[in-house]
């Protein structure tokens, strides 16, 4: 496909995909799929909470590092016509 | 207590009406102003309206109830909805905003029909948009009706809540258009946030603390804290629906059009996302999962939140009822306006074969809204529509998901053709209908749901037809 994101956008997208993949570890039965309590919180809940907090932090970091500087670059194919 | 609850509700509705009148005086008589606020919304009100639109009865009533019902298996799609989908709104919404501003788009069909140069695309997309909005609008009235009934111990039956909220919504949306919605959303965002935090605090106290509460809950129902092995299809389906489908619901799409600038859109998404994690996701997770340990089996899990308040904090019941009204109304008003814009611009205008004046657009929009609200009330009072809020809402979002594949054309793939666009828009809904209605019985791989299967089929036809019919370029 044309117009894949470039540079920092790619890095951001990669981080998003990695964290998203980590969210699936309990659902796929690979890891952290247990009601065992860690710090008083079920393991599965703790892991997913950590992942989603990381995603939220990524959103904030993404804004500061990438999206604030967007205007005018990295258009869709149609934008640039 | 019933009198206090009714008083609070009336005060809230009057406040909403006053805001509607105020917004009407500030608005201009044009479709662009009425439906997308002349693309002038800055990041704070946009962020608050995004948050308030997320915070529907789905989030306030449905989600805690669903956590209570299925535990951590709802956390995966719900987390992606509140945290993951804002990032998608960035990657997709930015382009939607830019093209909307450049070409004056107001509805989703404006963008797709313009790219594919096809009236057929416009009509199909318009129908998908209306169908997608019906279940999601419906759950707001259903949620309000259920909460009012439980909070008043049946003194105010379900139907009263449905009708009262419908009248309130119709009045202030009719008067003020999207400006009224943005201002009332800002007010409602504050109310929701507070009530969600209060609800989580009540649940933690009722459970005897976080650690003790989770210990009880994991003893009562340990399976609620694990994913069933080999059954990833259901959470995966919910995840796909609620991550991608949700941002494509027409009222969310149009929020991308509303932003004053890319900067506003970016900031509003950060604000909306952080608020949603802190005030929707985590509190509803705590309420529902801790509730497993201290609340006995409820026949209708949507009753979990009102029962929690009624049992442990009855003094806050009036605020809960008002918050539910606020949550439901702040979502359905946006969807109502969105549906009106779709009907006026994508169905009525092409059928009339003329461009309506702004005044006519607005008038027709209002007539449609009143008709649509009446239909919603009729559906809400029928027994078939009073099922689980989450599952009802998923139907609508699953329909909106059908817009993802054709949207890839204008956003990412210049080789998409009209044939590919139309094929995907015909195959997708047909496949969804066939699979949902079980017209063809089949076991889908990995147990995924009908919306995911329809999405895959759409993609195949989209790419295939675009590559085969290359001589019919879309632009």
């Amino acid at each position: 496909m044309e117009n894949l994101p470039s540079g920092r956008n790619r890095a951001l997208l990669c981080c998003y995909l990695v964290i998203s993949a980590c969210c699936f570890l309990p659902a796929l039965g690979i890891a952290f799929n247990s009601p065992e309590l860690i710090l008083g919180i079920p393991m599965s809940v703790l892991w997913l909470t950590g992942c989603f907090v990381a995603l939220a932090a990524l959103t904030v970091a993404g804004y500061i590092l990438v999206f604030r500087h967007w205007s005018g670059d990295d258009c869709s194919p149609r934008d640039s016509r | 207590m019933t009198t206090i609850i009714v008083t609070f509700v009336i005060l809230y509705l009057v406040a909403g009406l006053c805001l509607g009148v105020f917004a009407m005086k500030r608005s201009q008589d044009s479709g662009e102003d009425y439906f997308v606020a002349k693309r002038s919304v800055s990041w704070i009100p946009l962020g608050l309206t995004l948050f308030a639109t997320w915070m529907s009865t789905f989030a306030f009533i449905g989600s805690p109830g669903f956590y209570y019902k299925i535990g951590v298996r709802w956390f995966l799609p719900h987390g992606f909805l509140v945290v993951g989908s804002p990032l998608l709104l960035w990657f997709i919404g930015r382009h939607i905003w830019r093209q909307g501003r450049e070409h004056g788009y107001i509805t989703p069909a404006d963008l797709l029909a313009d790219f594919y140069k096809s009236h057929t695309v416009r009509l199909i997309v318009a129908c998908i948009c209306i169908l997608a909005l019906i279940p999601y609008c419906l759950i707001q009235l259903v949620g309000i009706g259920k909460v009012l009934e439980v909070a008043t111990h049946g003194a105010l039956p379900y139907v009263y809540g449905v009708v009262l909220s419908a009248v309130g919504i119709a009045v202030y949306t009719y008067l003020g258009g999207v400006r009224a919605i943005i201002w009332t959303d800002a007010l409602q965002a504050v109310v929701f946030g507070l009530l969600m935090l209060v609800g989580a605090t009540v649940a933690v106290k009722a459970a005897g603390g976080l650690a003790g509460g989770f210990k009880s809950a994991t003893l009562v129902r340990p399976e609620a804290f694990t994913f069933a092995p080999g059954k990833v299809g259901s959470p995966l389906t919910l995840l796909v629906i609620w991550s991608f489908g949700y941002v494509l619901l027409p009222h969310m799409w149009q929020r991308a059009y509303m932003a004053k600038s890319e900067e506003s859109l970016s900031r509003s998404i950060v604000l909306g996302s952080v608020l949603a994690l802190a005030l929707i996701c985590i509190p509803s997770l705590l309420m529902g999962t801790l509730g497993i340990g201290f609340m006995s089996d409820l026949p209708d899990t949507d009753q979990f939140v009102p029962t929690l308040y009624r049992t442990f904090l009855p003094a806050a019941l009036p605020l809960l009822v008002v918050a539910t009204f606020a949550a439901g109304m702040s979502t359905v008003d946006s969807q109502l306006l969105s549906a009106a814009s779709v009907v006026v611009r994508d169905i009525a205008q092409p059928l009339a074969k003329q461009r309506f004046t702004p005044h006519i657009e607005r008038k027709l929009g209002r007539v449609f809204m009143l008709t649509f609200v009446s239909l919603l009330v009729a559906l809400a009072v029928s027994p078939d529509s009073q099922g689980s809020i989450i599952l009802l809402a998923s139907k609508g979002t699953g329909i909106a998901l059908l817009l993802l594949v054709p949207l890839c054309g204008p956003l990412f793939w210049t080789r998409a053709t009209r044939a590919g666009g139309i094929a995907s828009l015909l195959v997708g809904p047909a496949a969804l209908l066939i699979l949902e209605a079980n017209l063809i019985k089949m076991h889908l791989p990995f147990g995924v749901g009908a919306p995911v299967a329809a999405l895959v089929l759409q993609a195949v036809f989209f790419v295939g037809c675009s590559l085969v019919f290359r001589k019919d370029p879309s632009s």
Side-chain angles (χ1 to χ4, degrees), chain A residues 63 70, chain B residues 41-43 46 50 89-90 92-98 255-270:
Chain A
Y63 171 73
W70 243 346
Chain B
V41 183
S42 63
W43 70 278
L46 189 62
L50 274 175
L89 201 56
W90 243 329
I92 296 174
R94 175 180 174 233
H95 297 301
I96 290 175
W97 174 82
R98 191 174 280 182
R255 266 158 180 72
Y257 287 153
M258 275 179 210
K260 199 168 159 180
S261 64
E262 277 181 283
E263 177 76 2
S264 290
L265 186 63
S266 305
R267 284 190 190 180
S268 66
I269 288 169
V270 173

Side-chain angles (χ1 to χ4, degrees), chain B residues 166-254:
Chain B
V167 168
I169 291 160
V171 170
Y172 77 69
T173 314
Y174 181 92
L175 290 175
V178 78
R179 286 191 193 276
I181 288 166
I182 287 165
W183 290 344
T184 51
D185 279 0
L187 165 68
Q188 286 154 357
V190 174
V191 172
F192 306 149
L194 282 172
L195 267 291
M196 285 300 282
L197 290 175
V198 167
T201 308
V202 167
V204 170
K205 286 193 96 169
L210 201 63
F214 274 125
K215 190 174 177 183
S216 304
T218 52
L219 286 171
V220 167
R221 246 197 288 154
E223 66 276 13
F225 296 91
T226 57
F227 290 85
K231 288 188 181 172
V232 70
S234 177
L236 178 65
T237 300
L238 286 171
L239 188 151
V240 171
I241 287 173
W242 286 105
S243 298
F244 293 96
Y246 185 71
V247 299
L248 297 174
L249 283 167
H251 67 294
M252 295 301 290
W253 188 310
Q254 286 176 309

Side-chain angles (χ1 to χ4, degrees), chain B residues 107-464:
Chain B
T107 66
D110 279 341
L111 190 156
L112 291 171
D114 194 27
F115 178 78
Y116 292 109
K117 297 287 184 280
S118 167
H119 293 301
T120 306
V121 165
R122 180 179 288 278
L123 188 60
I124 298 173
V125 170
C127 293
I128 289 173
C129 288
I130 300 294
L131 288 172
L133 287 174
I134 290 175
Y136 213 85
C137 287
L138 200 53
I139 62 161
Q140 313 310 324
L141 302 185
V142 167
I144 289 169
K146 284 184 179 183
V147 166
L148 195 63
E149 189 172 55
V150 172
T152 60
H153 293 265
L156 290 177
Y158 169 80
V159 171
Y160 283 44
V162 168
V163 171
L164 206 53
S165 53
V167 168
I169 291 160
V171 170
Y172 77 69
T173 314
Y174 181 92
L175 290 175
V178 78
R179 286 191 193 276
I181 288 166
I182 287 165
W183 290 344
T184 51
D185 279 0
L187 165 68
Q188 286 154 357
V190 174
V191 172
F192 306 149
L194 282 172
L195 267 291
M196 285 300 282
L197 290 175
V198 167
T201 308
V202 167
V204 170
K205 286 193 96 169
L210 201 63
F214 274 125
K215 190 174 177 183
S216 304
T218 52
L219 286 171
V220 167
R221 246 197 288 154
E223 66 276 13
F225 296 91
T226 57
F227 290 85
K231 288 188 181 172
V232 70
S234 177
L236 178 65
T237 300
L238 286 171
L239 188 151
V240 171
I241 287 173
W242 286 105
S243 298
F244 293 96
Y246 185 71
V247 299
L248 297 174
L249 283 167
H251 67 294
M252 295 301 290
W253 188 310
Q254 286 176 309
R255 266 158 180 72
Y257 287 153
M258 275 179 210
K260 199 168 159 180
S261 64
E262 277 181 283
E263 177 76 2
S264 290
L265 186 63
S266 305
R267 284 190 190 180
S268 66
I269 288 169
V270 173
L271 178 64
S273 174
V274 169
L275 286 178
L277 176 70
L279 299 178
I280 300 177
C281 193
I282 303 295
S284 57
L285 166 75
L286 287 175
M287 278 194 261
T289 51
L290 291 174
I292 292 170
F294 64 78
M295 203 175 285
S296 53
D297 286 337
L298 291 171
D300 179 1
T301 52
D302 291 334
Q303 293 177 351
F304 173 77
V305 171
T307 307
L308 177 76
Y309 272 81
R310 195 178 67 188
T311 311
F312 296 101
L313 194 64
L317 268 177
L319 280 174
L320 170 72
V321 172
V322 167
T324 310
F325 267 82
M329 289 167 70
S330 70
T331 300
V332 80
D333 57 15
S334 308
Q335 293 164 335
L336 202 55
L337 204 66
S338 188
S341 67
V342 166
V343 164
V344 168
R345 292 176 67 89
D346 299 328
I347 297 176
Q349 203 159 245
L351 281 177
K353 291 192 175 138
Q354 59 173 312
R355 205 161 174 82
F356 294 147
T357 62
H359 180 67
I360 302 268
E361 267 189 354
R362 205 166 155 136
K363 264 197 144 158
L364 270 176
R366 283 169 160 167
V367 168
F368 168 78
M369 276 193 291
L370 293 176
T371 312
F372 196 67
V373 168
S374 308
L375 170 68
L376 289 177
V377 170
L379 287 172
V381 300
S382 84
D384 292 335
S385 301
Q386 292 172 39
S388 160
I389 284 173
I390 298 294
L391 295 176
L392 260 178
S394 298
K395 299 278 181 219
T397 326
I399 295 171
L401 189 63
L402 296 170
L403 298 175
L404 179 64
V405 167
L407 183 60
C408 289
L411 296 195
F412 304 119
W413 195 39
T414 49
R415 283 181 283 175
T417 65
R418 184 183 306 148
I422 293 176
S424 68
L425 284 167
L426 289 172
V427 165
L432 186 63
L433 176 65
I434 289 169
L435 292 171
E436 286 279 12
N438 266 321
L439 297 176
I440 297 176
K441 291 202 190 315
M442 57 189 297
H443 291 288
L444 297 168
F446 308 108
V448 295
V452 173
L455 183 71
V456 171
L457 212 54
Q458 259 194 312
V460 167
F461 274 82
F462 177 68
V463 172

Side-chain angles (χ1 to χ4, degrees), chain A residues 2 16 20 24 33 35 40 42 44 49 52 55-56 59 63 67 70-79 81, chain B residues 75 79-80 83-84 87 90 94-95 98-99 105 114-115 214 225-227 239 262-263 267 411-414 475:
Chain A
E2 300 92 350
Y16 178 79
S20 301
F24 275 89
N33 187 28
S44 54
T49 303
F52 291 126
L55 271 180
T59 306
Y63 171 73
F67 301 114
W70 243 346
S71 301
D73 62 16
D74 206 38
C75 308
S76 76
R78 200 162 176 243
D79 292 344
R81 280 194 216 129
Chain B
F75 195 12
F80 269 102
V83 187
L87 275 167
W90 243 329
R94 175 180 174 233
H95 297 301
R98 191 174 280 182
Q99 294 197 29
Y105 299 148
D114 194 27
F115 178 78
F214 274 125
F225 296 91
T226 57
F227 290 85
L239 188 151
E262 277 181 283
E263 177 76 2
R267 284 190 190 180
L411 296 195
F412 304 119
W413 195 39
T414 49
S475 65

